[in-house]
């Protein structure tokens, strides 16, 4: 079962995204701050969904940078969807290593479709490398 980690400081958003993705058959872990995210990701992760602004001066983009240099290859290579209500941060998110950027509010169907495409794309790249 694919495991998604969702990091967003808005509890309503994380609850809705968790419910949507679980209905799609994913296992979902949610966080409202950067604390423990990378430690939890080390237990297995298929993809991340990270909000650019996490409140309390925490940065989702900084978290993404930490993901991309993580010592665990599976964590480092996991696809990342960055989300934000501010479209001006898209280029910064992509430069930090985001695979996809979604502007809030986004369609739940669009999110689900992107998660599936990124996870399937990663799986096919792994098969090609073997």
């Amino acid at each position: 079962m694919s495991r998604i980690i969702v990091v967003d400081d808005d509890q309503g958003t994380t609850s809705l995204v968790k419910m949507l993705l679980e209905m799609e058959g994913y296992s979902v872990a949610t966080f409202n701050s950067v604390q423990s995210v990378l430690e939890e990701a080390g237990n297995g992760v298929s993809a991340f969904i990270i909000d650019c602004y996490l409140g309390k001066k925490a940065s989702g983009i900084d978290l993404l940078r930490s993901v991309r240099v993580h010592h665990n290859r599976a964590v480092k290579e996991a696809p990342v969807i960055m989300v934000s209500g501010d479209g001006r941060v898209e280029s910064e998110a992509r430069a930090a290593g985001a695979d996809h950027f979604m502007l809030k509010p986004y369609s739940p169907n669009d999110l689900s479709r992107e998660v599936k495409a990124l996870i399937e794309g990663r799986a096919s790249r792994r098969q090609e490398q073997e």
Side-chain angles (χ1 to χ4, degrees):
M1 176 184 292
S2 295
R3 186 161 181 264
I4 313 298
I5 292 181
V6 178
V7 187
D8 195 314
D9 63 329
D10 182 326
Q11 201 64 25
T13 298
T14 55
S15 295
L16 289 172
V17 169
K18 179 178 172 69
M19 183 174 60
L20 167 74
L21 294 174
E22 286 177 342
M23 289 172 51
E24 297 286 330
Y26 298 105
S27 169
V28 181
T30 62
F31 295 85
N32 58 11
S33 70
V34 297
Q35 307 272 330
S36 307
V37 171
L38 293 177
E39 181 180 320
E40 182 65 26
N43 295 326
V45 62
S46 301
F48 291 91
I49 300 170
I50 305 173
D51 187 6
C52 288
Y53 300 111
L54 297 171
K56 297 181 185 175
K57 298 184 181 181
S59 166
I61 292 176
D62 287 344
L63 174 58
L64 170 59
R65 288 184 182 116
S66 295
V67 164
R68 291 301 181 226
V69 297
H70 197 272
H71 66 276
N72 181 318
R73 182 177 174 190
V75 172
K76 183 178 3 186
E77 294 178 357
V80 177
I81 297 173
M82 293 296 295
V83 298
S84 179
D86 182 356
R88 297 174 295 177
V89 297
E90 180 176 1
S91 60
E92 185 179 1
R94 289 195 183 272
D99 296 285
H100 189 72
F101 179 86
M102 296 185 77
L103 187 62
K104 289 181 178 180
Y106 49 80
S107 156
N109 291 334
D110 290 346
L111 178 64
S112 184
R113 188 172 32 255
E114 283 304 322
V115 167
K116 182 177 182 180
L118 288 171
I119 290 174
E120 287 177 356
R122 179 179 177 213
S124 11
R125 282 191 302 276
R126 272 193 186 156
Q127 288 175 352
E128 290 172 4
Q129 292 173 353
E130 293 175 356

